[in-house]
Amino acid sequence: MLEEPVDAAFAGSYPSRVQPVRLGSYGRIDGTEPLGRLGNLTLMATIWPTTPDKGEQGILSRFDPETNAGFALAIGSDGGATAILGHGSGAPIRLSVGKALKARTWYRIWASFDRAKDRLVVGQTPISPSPFTDLAGTASLTLEGEVLSDGGCCLLIAASGGEPVSGHFNGKIEAPAIFDRALEPAEIEAAAGGEPPQGLVAGWDFSREISGTRIVDIGPAGVHGELVNLPARAMTGSTWTGREMCWRHAPEDYAAIHFHDDDIYDCGWETDFSFTVPHGFRSGVYAARLRCGEHEDRVPFFVCPPKGSRQADLCVVIPTFTYVIYGNHARPDFGEHWRRRAAAWNAYPWNPADHPEYGLSTYNFHSDGSGICHASRLRPILTLRPGFVSIAEQRGSGLRHFQADTHLLAWLEAKGFDFDVLTDEELHHEGVEAIAPYRTVTTTSHPEYHTAETLDALQQYRDGGGRLMYLGGNGFYWRVALHAEAPGVIEIRRGEGGIRAWAAEPGEYFNAFDGAYGGLWRRSGRPPQELAGVGFSAQGLFEGSYYRRSPQASDPRVSWIFEGVDDDILGNFGLSGGGAAGYELDRVDRRLGTPEHTIILASSQGHSDSFVLVPEEHLTHVTTWPGAPHQDLIRADMVFFEAPKNGAVFSTGSITFCGSLCHDGYDNNISRILENVLTRFLDPEAVLQTAAQRGPLS
Ligand SMILES: [Fe+2]
């Protein structure tokens, strides 16, 4: 690792302390004291449990486990709908239906208390009765002298109570409601989808304000709530049939929220120190080094130039959306070999697979088996640390993302190219203005996740005379959304198609955060080829092969790129998988938007049998979407094309490209090619297109 110490005003000693991470999402409603004094009572909710067997889980709870006061509707330790009634002394009364709920099945569950009759009833009834099993049940109990007690505090949805909050529920909840009388079973039956029965005090309609964090009470009490730790919204509800696939067209069919006991948004840790970037501070990649006893950690941050100014002609866009989306990725191939590698290399020793307590990545599953669709940076991210090794492969360094991207930064420094850094967030919020002043803008190895705003910014930059380098693979692939109220979190729906870590459920392809159709940009009519000339085509193990120079490379439009390079075989070396063309490969496709005048400079060859065509390129077992044989599509294309106003694009089509730059003391054919491209791109006098091309392009 190459590190340079930097003076910082915050350098010094600070007291340290344990700061917890409280995983688990729930709804919290304050100001519900009047509900604690109700005489008669019914609690009701429609639920789709995913782990009914995991132990007690609160559905609708105003219960204080410290004082045993209050009441709750829950899933009991036997997996059945359960009423909990506290009376302030001794253990609360728990009354269960006594029949475990079936996972991933819609039920209405309820608990009612009739004070005059001293009668407690709990019930569960499936929304669609099974032809095979009787899933319904009720239980009742006559109490002697028990009186409802006030659980104080607040009302929780999808958790039991306590401080810290415990008893988190896994699954979907729809239309939780409280009534001031004991409803009859027939009334509860009739409540399905229609008008709520008489006596509604408070009821939360999750089909309202789906993109927000507020939950809206449609009852007379008007006690609205807040969601904690961002459970998934815009989830199909009990009435969803497939007649509408977009929640904006039928919000009533999306009145469910999916809660998870391992959701996390903001750890909410106290601030120990802050850093005001001094005037004149160099833009770049920094880290705050934290030490405590024998422990050490480095927290990276990216310093942009002051807004509206630049310190260099080159801008490196740091793909922070992709870093965060991958944040705390616990890889399925993690094991002892990784620990051995980390120890032998003195690499970052902590791995999310061993430490899920900070919340895992959108490449992982929740504890209930559903895919994680939210990624927050307001928590420690172990994968986003200098020296973290992603993959303990035999060939190469096994670095990806932040760590692999430093291969490029090290090369730029070694070659004396000054650069500024910006992140995806500036690109998203400030648009093309953030990058317009630069002569060249480059990506790093894997700019995979984009919003419409970041793609627009790059495209407008390119079409305004900018010179864009895409030095990676599988870029501009997935469509993500930011939250309007909650900064620092990204949503991804792993919709139809694509190399996916999990698959979104039917009907749940539209983002909750911005209402757009999630999934691949290609499915939204914006394939990567339109911007960069190449797009994702094949993936294999973390191995790199080489490119072979194409006959078109001698075209005078591009021959300058190969100045000083005599080899036909390019990049058969490197830290990333052992070769410049590997792991994730992009190729040209005119039907997907590669500009007509694009020149293929080189294409990769020699990939092992581990490489497969991405799913969206398959039609049948023998045919592909482009019509070419499978094997022909397993390649990276290195391309160049001119853009309007003397702009241009250079793309490498391989995620392992940057890993080859440092080979042989930065003196190799990959390094030379990039140096030729960048030198010319940075030269304002350089004319990058012939008059013949300039005509139709401008
Ligand atoms: Fe990726």
Side-chain angles (χ1 to χ4, degrees), residues 479-634:
R479 179 174 201 165
V480 292
L482 303 192
H483 198 285
E485 301 162 15
V489 66
I490 304 169
E491 179 181 34
I492 171 74
R493 297 287 170 121
R494 302 216 180 264
E496 301 168 85
I499 289 263
R500 298 173 294 175
W502 47 267
E505 296 281 341
E508 296 178 356
Y509 300 151
F510 283 81
N511 299 325
F513 290 3
D514 67 356
Y517 183 65
L520 301 186
W521 269 113
R522 177 172 171 165
R523 298 265 178 254
S524 284
R526 219 165 164 180
Q529 281 90 345
E530 283 190 1
L531 174 69
V534 294
F536 197 24
S537 188
Q539 171 153 26
L541 293 176
F542 197 6
E543 324 172 318
S545 184
Y546 58 87
Y547 300 88
R548 181 181 290 276
R549 189 201 300 227
S550 97
Q552 292 173 281
S554 55
D555 188 304
R557 280 168 57 204
V558 294
S559 52
W560 53 271
I561 294 175
F562 290 90
E563 239 169 64
V565 178
D566 298 325
D567 312 318
D568 277 337
I569 301 293
L570 309 167
N572 53 339
F573 45 77
L575 288 177
S576 297
Y583 196 32
E584 300 188 14
L585 312 175
D586 297 359
R587 64 173 180 85
V588 303
D589 194 310
R590 315 253 174 217
R591 255 176 90 197
L592 289 174
T594 302
E596 282 305 315
H597 62 298
T598 299
I599 291 190
I600 297 179
L601 307 168
S603 294
S604 70
Q605 299 177 335
H607 299 291
S608 78
D609 289 344
S610 77
F611 282 76
V612 297
L613 206 55
V614 294
E616 59 272 26
E617 293 283 62
H618 287 274
L619 288 180
T620 71
H621 62 303
V622 287
T623 57
T624 64
W625 186 87
H630 283 65
Q631 272 312 312
D632 294 2
L633 303 176
I634 294 177

Side-chain angles (χ1 to χ4, degrees), residues 1 338-339 341-350 386-389 399:
M1 296 214 306
W338 187 94
R339 292 193 197 91
R341 164 68 58 88
W345 287 7
N346 195 24
Y348 191 73
W350 314 109
F388 179 84
V389 174
L399 302 188

Side-chain angles (χ1 to χ4, degrees), residues 189-264:
E189 201 77 37
E195 282 289 296
Q198 295 260 308
L200 178 73
V201 179
W204 294 272
D205 180 357
F206 297 158
S207 74
R208 312 234 182 152
E209 302 184 15
I210 280 178
S211 295
T213 57
R214 194 170 83 125
I215 45 177
V216 177
D217 175 14
I218 54 167
V223 279
H224 311 300
E226 273 296 316
L227 293 169
V228 177
N229 279 336
L230 289 178
R233 301 195 71 167
M235 296 278 113
T236 53
S238 65
T239 60
W240 184 81
T241 59
R243 107 193 133 87
E244 268 299 343
M245 300 297 277
C246 173
W247 60 266
R248 286 182 284 101
H249 301 160
E252 65 278 12
D253 288 352
Y254 288 86
I257 295 179
H258 195 142
F259 297 89
H260 308 92
D261 61 7
D262 54 359
D263 274 323
I264 180 75

